[in-house]
Amino acid sequence: MTLEDISEELGDAALGPTGRPLREFPEPTPLGSRGPARIIAMVNQKGGVGKTTSAINLAAALAEYGRRVLLVDFDPQGALSAGLGINPHELETTVYNVMMDRHTDVHEAIRRTNVEGLDLLPANIDLSAAEVQLVTEVAREQVLAGALRNVEDEYDLILIDCQPSLGLLTVNALTAAHGVIIPLICEFFALRAVALLVETIEKVQDRLNPRLVVDGVLATMYDARTLHTREVLARLVEAFGDKVFDTVIKRTIKFADATVAAEPITQYASNHSGAEAYRRLARELVARGGAP
């Protein structure tokens, strides 16, 4: 069933938070084989928008649906690694070594997680040095793409959690990716910052990676009780149209609790509405063609 078929069946269905009819997305069908992986970069130069939380929980939800997923921590703060129970400061081999040392095999750095079907390519503060060192490298924007090429046949999806900046590391992620998901907190100042991000994506499309597409804009920390939140979401739909996911991630303390427990919310509180929201996002991403 395609996204258009789902839309046609809606008729006079109730409206969702985005002002569009609520659609139900079917559970993804099992895959017959692995790879090559579709690579998605989670990007927003503004911090605190739920980017890492969304990367962890979307990946875990896709893994629940039988997809084999590699999460790439591409932030020197190592929040993604810590959020999956790995201490970034104790790591000897990370994505930094894989990128900067041609003799380091990416398989040496990949760690299994407690979620079946979900692996992690971790990062720590060493990655901050890569931004400086890459400046003198040949084809410096394509180093990450080269590193991931060695494992793309082993996964269905590779999800890159970018640092909150539009520097050379983020450009590397965009050059390696097939698609971009933009997590966006429902606040006015976050909305203003998106214009610069879209400009950067367009430059990468023109100069480095013509296959790159925006898979969707994800509204996070949504609180329907406030007029401000509803207005920002309406403006978001006005600006991006169908690129805005129907699925909206509501604000809840359970996400913070799951982070402290170093587990995806799909494991920590499997029946919570937050867990179901990310499962719905996974189904919607597959229905939109953003994931196999």
Side-chain angles (χ1 to χ4, degrees), residues 195-209:
L196 186 59
L197 173 57
V198 171
E199 185 180 323
T200 301
I201 291 170
E202 289 173 349
K203 284 180 180 177
V204 171
Q205 287 170 325
D206 289 342
R207 302 172 188 176
L208 294 165
N209 184 8

Side-chain angles (χ1 to χ4, degrees), residues 33-37 148-156 158:
S33 60
R34 292 277 174 250
L148 295 180
R149 204 171 293 130
N150 295 321
V151 291
E152 63 183 7
D153 288 335
E154 300 169 28
Y155 295 94
D156 302 312
I158 297 175

Side-chain angles (χ1 to χ4, degrees), residues 184-203:
L184 192 68
I185 186 173
C186 291
E187 290 181 1
F188 178 67
F189 287 115
L191 191 59
R192 288 185 62 192
V194 172
L196 186 59
L197 173 57
V198 171
E199 185 180 323
T200 301
I201 291 170
E202 289 173 349
K203 284 180 180 177

Side-chain angles (χ1 to χ4, degrees), residues 105-144:
D105 187 333
V106 64
H107 295 92
E108 296 174 32
I110 291 175
R111 302 290 190 92
R112 294 292 170 94
T113 71
N114 292 326
V115 180
E116 187 178 350
L118 178 60
D119 292 346
L120 170 69
L121 180 54
N124 58 20
I125 195 64
D126 292 348
L127 187 59
S128 59
E131 194 100 46
V132 177
Q133 292 171 303
L134 282 171
V135 171
T136 58
E137 288 285 324
V138 176
R140 58 180 181 258
E141 301 92 354
Q142 297 166 8
V143 177
L144 179 63

Side-chain angles (χ1 to χ4, degrees), residues 118-265:
L118 178 60
D119 292 346
L120 170 69
L121 180 54
N124 58 20
I125 195 64
D126 292 348
L127 187 59
S128 59
E131 194 100 46
V132 177
Q133 292 171 303
L134 282 171
V135 171
T136 58
E137 288 285 324
V138 176
R140 58 180 181 258
E141 301 92 354
Q142 297 166 8
V143 177
L144 179 63
L148 295 180
R149 204 171 293 130
N150 295 321
V151 291
E152 63 183 7
D153 288 335
E154 300 169 28
Y155 295 94
D156 302 312
L157 197 78
I158 297 175
L159 207 54
I160 307 170
D161 180 37
C162 299
Q163 66 175 344
S165 91
L166 294 179
L168 194 48
L169 289 179
T170 298
V171 171
N172 255 267
L174 292 173
T175 303
H178 300 96
V180 181
I181 293 177
I182 305 172
L184 192 68
I185 186 173
C186 291
E187 290 181 1
F188 178 67
F189 287 115
L191 191 59
R192 288 185 62 192
V194 172
L196 186 59
L197 173 57
V198 171
E199 185 180 323
T200 301
I201 291 170
E202 289 173 349
K203 284 180 180 177
V204 171
Q205 287 170 325
D206 289 342
R207 302 172 188 176
L208 294 165
N209 184 8
R211 71 182 178 180
L212 185 66
V213 296
V214 175
D215 286 329
V217 179
L218 175 65
T220 64
M221 303 187 198
Y222 178 78
D223 187 347
R225 297 171 298 179
T226 69
L227 177 61
H228 177 75
T229 295
R230 298 197 302 272
E231 285 180 343
V232 169
L233 185 53
R235 289 279 297 276
L236 198 59
V237 174
E238 189 180 302
F240 289 95
D242 284 341
K243 288 292 184 186
V244 180
F245 286 109
D246 286 12
T247 305
V248 168
I249 308 302
K250 296 181 179 177
R251 190 185 294 271
T252 169
I253 192 62
K254 269 288 188 274
F255 289 127
D257 293 343
T259 300
V260 172
E263 289 183 347
I265 196 169

